[in-house]
Amino acid sequence: MAKFLQLAASRAFTTSLQRLRNVFTVSDSETFMEKVLNNDVPVIVNFHAEWCDPCKLLTPKLEELVVPLPGIDLAIIDVESCPELVQAFEVKAVPAVIAVRSGLVVDKFIGLVDAQNIEDFIKKLSKQMQTNAT
């Protein structure tokens, strides 16, 4: 039993480390510049709000799909705390999700979409990344 608990704790710790590595919160323009625009890997940027019910469904789904992927990061931005980024990216509704690669917006969607559309969005970004690597 002790070995099982140790293994479970180890997996949880590894998952937490991976989550910290490719899922992060952006709270200001400086962090956005550093972790999104200057990132070597594509970043999915999730503009959300705590009061937004669709955001409460979308954010965990994005995390679930992005965490296992080594070549894509997920940035989470609360629109209430980053009005300058909301204005810069002309976010008019939440959730709003953009894909950034090499400092450029390459794709986006607004609103709650189904899981298949999210998976397709991520696959498209992954394929763009693979195409640019070759």
Side-chain angles (χ1 to χ4, degrees), residues 3-134:
K3 187 165 184 108
F4 173 76
L5 292 175
Q6 186 179 22
L7 180 61
S10 173
R11 285 187 181 156
F13 181 72
T14 302
T15 301
S16 294
L17 284 178
Q18 187 172 14
R19 177 172 160 41
L20 291 174
R21 188 173 61 241
N22 72 337
V23 177
F24 52 88
T25 300
V26 173
S27 55
D28 56 50
S29 296
E30 186 177 305
T31 304
F32 185 82
M33 188 73 130
E34 174 190 333
K35 291 189 168 189
V36 177
L37 297 181
N38 293 330
N39 201 326
D40 293 336
V41 299
V43 181
I44 295 172
V45 181
N46 175 23
F47 287 93
H48 80 115
E50 292 299 320
W51 47 261
C52 168
D53 287 337
C55 298
K56 291 176 185 176
L57 297 172
L58 180 63
T59 299
K61 187 62 179 176
L62 285 169
E63 289 177 346
E64 174 189 323
L65 293 170
V66 171
V67 164
L69 301 174
I72 296 179
D73 288 352
L74 174 63
I76 301 171
I77 301 175
D78 187 325
V79 296
E80 301 288 330
S81 64
C82 294
E84 69 282 357
L85 292 173
V86 169
Q87 184 177 3
F89 288 92
E90 300 177 350
V91 174
K92 305 287 187 222
V94 288
V97 178
I98 62 172
V100 177
R101 190 183 70 244
S102 302
L104 301 172
V105 175
V106 294
D107 204 356
K108 65 181 176 177
F109 68 85
I110 297 169
L112 184 60
V113 298
D114 65 36
Q116 186 61 53
N117 286 347
I118 299 168
E119 289 174 16
D120 292 344
F121 180 83
I122 293 170
K123 284 179 189 172
K124 183 178 174 185
L125 186 58
S126 294
K127 286 180 183 175
Q128 289 172 348
M129 183 179 69
Q130 291 169 356
T131 301
N132 288 344
T134 57

